[in-house]
Amino acid sequence: PLLEKKWTAVPRLQRKVLELERAVSTNASYHAHRSSITSGTVSNGNSNEGDGNRRMIPRPPAVHDLRGHSAVVTSVEVHPLYTIAVSGSEDGTIKVWDHESGEYFRTLKGHTNSIHGLSFTPTGSHLASASSDLSVKIWDFNTYTCVRTLRGHDHTISSVLFLPGPLSLFASGLSSAGNDTSEGSSAGEPTSSGTGIDSSLTGSQFLVSASRDTTVKFWDVETGFCDATISDHTDWVRCLAVRPESNSTPASS
């Protein structure tokens, strides 16, 4: 019986060797392709801008496989300055990772339901998270503590986004544009005089949130008040984007 086991193990090992050789060959071709794209050269020796831009497209194999959440991961955000990435999940937690080493740092707890959106300030000093528990939380990324909870939406908050500094004028202009500002201000009335956040350090004065209640709200980062509410959508507002050069904030519903 021992001899039979040895003879059957040999083919299995041979198949494993062949699989590993194929994997090595595939990885080598991927890395060779990446190197040629990074150099920005083509067969005729001239620079090709289109091919050079393709180096930003992620290609297999994955550098790291980060695991730790106990439910579906719904959102990921990368720190604007450091090699840090954060992930939000239906388990209600936010996990902090080093995306270069693949190491896990810590878990931020505070939400009581699924997290759907994450956003860093332009300077990376604070993180905002949006959840199905009808709240937006702002986290100090130096102490990893929640410094403010914003409430005012009537349904799942699907997206959140800090506006860069130049868009502050655009957002403040909404206060006098007649976009349901009185209703938004009462909905976002803070429980204290302010958030304790200095907008000059965050690089952002306003935070935007989108919800399944069909509204988009603009929050003052320093005071915690909702300065404006846009109610032009007729269905769930799912995502937000910013174009600083055009002073616009597109919302998708």
Side-chain angles (χ1 to χ4, degrees):
L2 181 61
L3 184 59
E4 291 180 359
K5 288 182 179 179
K6 288 184 177 180
W7 279 110
T8 55
V10 170
R12 288 200 302 270
L13 291 174
Q14 289 177 336
R15 285 196 298 270
K16 187 64 175 178
V17 169
L18 291 175
E19 291 174 0
L20 292 174
E21 288 178 346
R22 282 195 294 268
V24 169
S25 177
T26 302
N27 291 339
S29 64
Y30 282 139
H31 289 296
H33 182 64
R34 286 179 177 179
S35 299
S36 63
I37 291 175
T38 303
S39 63
T41 58
V42 291
S43 57
N44 58 8
N46 296 326
S47 174
N48 189 306
E49 184 178 355
D51 286 345
N53 291 333
R54 289 181 58 198
R55 67 174 180 268
M56 300 302 295
I57 300 176
R59 299 179 182 278
V63 178
H64 299 293
D65 186 1
L66 309 179
R67 297 178 180 271
H69 287 289
S70 59
V72 174
V73 178
T74 55
S75 57
V76 175
E77 185 76 5
V78 177
H79 196 280
L81 300 178
Y82 306 121
T83 60
I84 292 176
V86 292
S87 57
S89 169
E90 287 185 355
D91 62 14
T93 66
I94 302 168
K95 291 191 180 294
V96 185
W97 315 82
D98 186 319
H99 62 72
E100 279 198 352
S101 66
E103 293 181 359
Y104 160 79
F105 277 164
R106 65 178 63 232
T107 299
L108 308 182
K109 297 181 179 180
H111 286 290
T112 58
N113 210 328
S114 302
I115 295 171
H116 298 286
L118 298 167
S119 177
F120 277 108
T121 58
T123 61
S125 62
H126 291 77
L127 172 74
S129 56
S131 171
S132 288
D133 63 9
L134 311 187
S135 72
V136 173
K137 290 186 180 294
I138 301 178
W139 307 81
D140 187 325
F141 230 63
N142 292 318
T143 61
Y144 298 101
T145 57
C146 177
V147 295
R148 189 68 185 180
T149 299
L150 308 176
R151 299 185 184 274
H153 284 291
D154 299 324
H155 211 312
T156 295
I157 305 173
S158 48
S159 182
V160 66
L161 189 65
F162 281 103
L163 296 183
L167 284 181
S168 296
L169 295 177
F170 164 69
S172 59
L174 289 174
S175 301
S176 57
N179 285 309
D180 300 333
T181 56
S182 59
E183 178 184 353
S185 296
S186 61
E189 185 176 354
T191 56
S192 62
S193 58
T195 61
I197 300 174
D198 187 351
S199 60
S200 63
L201 298 178
T202 62
S204 174
Q205 185 179 351
F206 287 90
L207 176 70
V208 189
S209 59
S211 170
R212 194 172 181 176
D213 64 11
T214 73
T215 67
V216 176
K217 290 183 180 292
F218 289 78
W219 308 85
D220 189 306
V221 172
E222 289 189 345
T223 65
F225 278 99
C226 178
D227 280 5
T229 299
I230 297 177
S231 305
D232 295 334
H233 288 281
T234 59
D235 205 342
W236 188 349
V237 187
R238 298 176 182 271
C239 58
L240 298 164
V242 173
R243 292 191 62 187
E245 67 276 7
S246 64
N247 283 351
S248 62
T249 306
S252 174
S253 173

